[in-house]
Amino acid sequence: MDRRRFLGLAATGIASAVGLSATACGGGDSGGGDVRLKLVAADYGSPGGHDSSKKYWDALATEFQKKNPGITVDVSVLSWNDVDKQVADMVKAGEAPDIAQIGAYADYAAGGKLYSASELLSIPVQADFVPALAQAGELRRTQYGLPFVSSTRVFIYNKSLFTAAGLDPDEPPKSWAELKQAATALKTAGVKIPYGLPLGPEEAPAETMLWMFGGGGGYTNNVGGYTIDSPENIKTFTWLRDELVGAELTGPGSPGRTDRQDVFDAFARGEVGMLNGHPTLLQQADRNKVSYGTAKLPGRDGEAGSTMGVADWIMGFKQNGHRAEIGRFLDFVFSLDQHYAFTDQYDLLPVTTSAIDRMSSEKKHKKLWPFLDQLPIAEFYPVGKISWAGTSQTIKESIGKAVAGDGNPEAVLGSLQRKAEADEAAAAAQP
């Protein structure tokens, strides 16, 4: 999944988003419908490739219109580099789509611009969502973000490099101490990057969150307050600074300037011994015939009790007043066959229990089963916090400093905590 969350995406203008619209039934008013819904969605296919998500949405909209002749659906599919910004510009200009499938919902929900899940979906569809995903879509205990697809993270390691380093390829490390021992053996064997630690601007919040979990911490507590500078998190980043980065077990580059995709590419070339990854990495490794294993995340004293989940979101905007029609369409989107077809095509994790059960029973998706197994215990970014987008960006810019040779984890995490709290307080004060 090629996503770049919360980056400063360059806008190409509202007109280009509208210009890309195509009525799924053939353009114009040929559907003859009484209501026309405008859908803007992200593209999960390769850039300019034959696997564009537009084919899926056009086919789905056409099938939906056959069953609901009074409703026409106009489909626009934009790249992940553009879609969040395009939708933001459309909303700002008073031209919100009826439905948007994008990366974040909280700002729109806080502004009163979205229908809640209970206003849109039938009870069976609401009940079919994985509970943790439904909860991640809540703002102030009301669900506005509907999870569209998800992924989790697991520990992935190169079995061939383990064997060459004298390590048992069927015994991945379970604790941080074992991880350091394995990394040391890999370094001695000449492995370029014993452990890949991407704390650069591409996806630093994810790697940060995974290590926080392993140390018994996290971004927030069980009532939603920020805990970025908790004692557990400070201990975690002190360990990383001293035991991995300081011991030169993370490769030649600075973790703070290392992006996730660079580490994934290096793993696919056989240059990385261990890292945290998601399903896309397995596809890349398979193409390069890398022998790998997967396991639960190592933790401070044993396997981590949870892992990270990521979800993309779909939502219904109030502006045009098409609540009933939006709800009918979204019920169709989340029907078993339609939802499963999308996740099956792109090797993503479903967000409904019924689709997960189907994927868990199909051997062609066996390599995704470890990720599915982690979904019930996965924890998600605090996307329901209005301040999270800015906090995430600040983490990308500064978290690498905490593990630098002269880094001060307590100071870095404390600065992040103070800014996050200030941003959240400012957001809460808005009318």
Side-chain angles (χ1 to χ4, degrees):
M1 188 187 316
D2 186 12
R3 298 194 298 271
R4 300 294 184 269
R5 294 195 180 283
F6 304 120
L7 294 179
L9 302 178
T12 57
I14 297 168
S16 64
V18 176
L20 285 170
S21 295
T23 303
C25 62
D29 292 323
S30 60
D34 299 321
V35 172
R36 184 178 295 273
L37 298 178
K38 180 163 62 176
L39 164 70
V40 178
D43 196 346
Y44 290 75
S46 305
H50 66 282
D51 57 346
S52 170
S53 301
K54 192 170 190 309
K55 295 181 180 179
Y56 166 83
W57 284 112
D58 282 349
L60 183 146
T62 298
E63 184 65 22
F64 172 78
Q65 289 164 180
K66 290 178 182 178
K67 300 176 185 295
N68 299 272
I71 307 172
T72 299
V73 182
D74 291 345
V75 176
S76 296
V77 174
L78 307 174
S79 80
W80 272 108
N81 291 335
D82 299 323
V83 67
D84 287 292
K85 181 62 175 174
Q86 292 277 17
V87 170
D89 286 347
M90 294 169 76
V91 172
K92 186 176 180 179
E95 300 178 2
D98 295 287
I99 302 164
Q101 187 272 297
I102 51 178
Y105 66 86
D107 285 355
Y108 302 123
K113 300 181 185 301
L114 301 181
Y115 290 113
S116 68
S118 61
E119 290 176 307
L120 294 174
L121 302 176
S122 64
I123 292 175
V125 170
Q126 289 187 70
D128 201 20
F129 285 132
V130 174
L133 285 162
Q135 186 176 6
E138 293 180 359
L139 177 70
R140 304 186 184 106
R141 299 188 179 183
T142 298
Q143 184 184 358
Y144 296 95
L146 312 180
F148 181 64
V149 291
S150 64
S151 68
T152 58
R153 301 294 196 266
V154 299
F155 182 77
I156 304 175
Y157 63 102
N158 184 311
K159 286 190 169 187
S160 299
L161 296 181
F162 263 49
T163 299
L167 300 167
D168 187 337
D170 297 317
E171 289 292 335
K174 294 181 173 60
S175 68
W176 289 354
E178 292 176 359
L179 186 148
K180 182 180 179 182
Q181 291 172 358
T184 301
L186 289 163
K187 179 183 177 183
T188 301
V191 175
K192 184 176 181 180
I193 306 173
Y195 179 85
L197 184 65
L199 294 177
E202 181 186 4
E203 206 184 29
E207 188 73 13
T208 297
M209 190 172 180
L210 291 168
W211 279 97
M212 286 179 170
F213 286 160
Y219 285 127
T220 58
N221 57 26
N222 57 10
V223 294
Y226 280 115
T227 56
I228 298 171
D229 66 345
S230 68
E232 293 83 3
N233 292 340
I234 292 171
K235 289 179 182 178
T236 292
F237 277 85
T238 300
W239 189 90
L240 276 172
R241 180 195 65 188
D242 296 342
E243 304 298 328
L244 275 192
V245 180
E248 299 182 348
L249 298 175
T250 57
S254 166
R257 293 193 293 272
T258 300
D259 283 341
R260 180 208 61 182
Q261 191 58 55
D262 293 337
V263 174
F264 279 18
D265 291 344
F267 185 86
R269 294 192 300 267
E271 298 173 357
V272 178
M274 304 173 286
L275 76 171
N276 297 318
H278 56 65
T280 300
L281 176 57
L282 301 191
Q283 300 173 25
Q284 195 173 351
D286 286 337
R287 288 195 295 268
N288 287 11
K289 297 181 171 53
V290 173
S291 175
Y292 59 83
T294 62
K296 291 183 178 180
L297 302 178
R300 183 180 298 279
D301 301 311
E303 291 177 342
S306 62
T307 188
M308 174 188 171
V310 174
D312 295 326
W313 305 95
I314 192 166
M315 60 211 72
F317 282 86
K318 291 181 177 180
Q319 180 178 318
N320 300 318
H322 297 147
R323 182 187 63 80
E325 293 81 6
I326 294 170
R328 195 178 306 172
F329 180 74
L330 290 174
D331 267 1
F332 187 68
V333 168
F334 287 109
S335 62
L336 175 58
D337 288 344
Q338 298 295 344
H339 180 51
Y340 185 77
F342 190 88
T343 56
D344 176 60
Q345 178 178 353
Y346 293 105
D347 279 342
L348 297 167
L349 303 189
V351 300
T352 63
T353 301
S354 58
I356 287 172
D357 288 344
R358 179 179 290 187
M359 184 170 281
S360 298
S361 68
E362 295 195 353
K363 290 186 177 180
K364 69 177 182 177
H365 289 303
K366 187 174 182 179
K367 290 182 178 179
L368 293 179
W369 292 353
F371 298 91
L372 284 171
D373 290 343
Q374 295 293 297
L375 196 54
I377 64 168
E379 298 183 36
F380 295 81
Y381 286 139
V383 290
K385 298 180 78 63
I386 303 170
S387 59
W388 173 245
T391 299
S392 173
Q393 183 61 40
T394 307
I395 290 168
K396 294 176 182 180
E397 295 167 354
S398 62
I399 194 62
K401 299 174 185 176
V403 300
D406 58 351
N408 185 331
E410 184 173 3
V412 172
L413 295 176
S415 177
L416 286 167
Q417 175 79 17
R418 290 189 294 275
K419 185 177 187 305
E421 289 178 336
D423 289 351
E424 187 67 14
Q430 294 296 318

